[in-house]
Amino acid sequence: MSSKGSSNMAKMSLSFDGIVSNDCQQNPDFCMWNVVAFLYCDGGSFLGKGGKDPVAKDTGFKTLSFSASAPIQECTQTKTAATQWRCLFPEEYYKFVFTPMFFANSIYDTWTRPNALKVSCSAKTCPDSNLATVYTNRDAVRALAREISGSSKKHAVFLTACPVHRMMIQPWLSLSVFGSPTMQVTLTAWLRHDETMSGSDVLLDITPAVEQCSSVLNR
């Protein structure tokens, strides 16, 4: 158990940045909103609210309930039993969500590289032997962003070349080094249904991306 999953170990006060900041210069669209922090690593966060026991007794692992989430249910109906798990991924899930969505992601996401791609890259360095894998994933993210942006005007995508993670709750929301137009400007345009503003594509190799974003990475 950790502070992310136990109220007994959680911090009594937290500071918020980015989209949950109360600084109206950094976050003009949401600075006056109330903010609630939910601990999400306690094992109780399941997709949907099915009546079945979410614990698979034969394996001891917890499973997701597909029965109560309408988008997930619609998605799984288009898949075979062996591929229904793909409905947990944004590239499949978003197609069945009616609510407009704003996506923000780094083309060099620092969680994806070690955990999904299984390559040994830090935020600032990446061995040449891993670059082909990293660039293949980068191009896949860019292609998906174009697909989402083109599928419906109600969705918007912001991409950055800065190798970071957890973008929306960091103080980078309004920094031009993070992207131009900035994530905050792109978010505002999406909220106001301004289709002339788009930050849905970016292309930099990883070395110039690190150099461009050095002021962010050194914080």
Side-chain angles (χ1 to χ4, degrees), residues 1-12 38-43:
M1 190 63 70
S2 72
S3 60
K4 293 183 178 180
S6 169
S7 57
N8 291 328
M9 302 174 67
K11 296 179 180 179
M12 296 303 295
F38 288 95
L39 305 178
Y40 61 90
C41 291
D42 63 345

Side-chain angles (χ1 to χ4, degrees), residues 22-150:
N22 63 358
D23 182 344
C24 291
Q25 289 189 329
Q26 177 191 137
N27 181 34
D29 297 301
F30 300 104
C31 61
M32 301 300 292
W33 288 41
N34 293 323
V35 176
V36 178
F38 288 95
L39 305 178
Y40 61 90
C41 291
D42 63 345
S45 301
F46 300 105
L47 196 60
K49 193 178 180 182
K52 295 182 179 180
D53 185 353
V55 179
K57 294 183 174 60
D58 56 336
T59 63
F61 289 104
K62 295 182 178 179
T63 59
L64 295 171
S65 169
F66 290 111
S67 60
S69 171
I72 289 291
Q73 191 173 38
E74 291 179 19
C75 179
T76 55
Q77 290 174 355
T78 68
K79 308 291 184 186
T80 65
T83 61
Q84 288 181 349
W85 59 270
R86 293 189 61 83
C87 292
L88 298 176
F89 287 82
E91 58 264 36
E92 297 291 340
Y93 184 79
Y94 88 90
K95 301 172 185 177
F96 302 90
V97 177
F98 177 77
T99 304
M101 292 182 288
F102 183 87
F103 296 87
N105 210 81
S106 169
I107 59 175
Y108 299 121
D109 185 89
T110 52
W111 184 94
T112 299
R113 289 184 292 182
N115 293 285
L117 303 181
K118 303 300 182 183
V119 296
S120 56
C121 297
S122 68
K124 297 183 180 181
T125 61
C126 192
D128 291 345
S129 58
N130 293 329
L131 288 181
T133 301
V134 170
Y135 288 150
T136 297
N137 182 75
R138 173 199 65 186
D139 294 340
V141 171
R142 294 175 61 233
L144 179 59
R146 290 192 295 270
E147 176 187 319
I148 293 174
S149 298

Side-chain angles (χ1 to χ4, degrees), residues 154-171:
K154 67 182 181 181
H155 301 318
V157 181
F158 177 88
L159 295 181
T160 181
C162 293
V164 293
H165 187 58
R166 298 197 311 163
M167 292 168 46
M168 298 291 288
I169 59 173
Q170 301 291 351

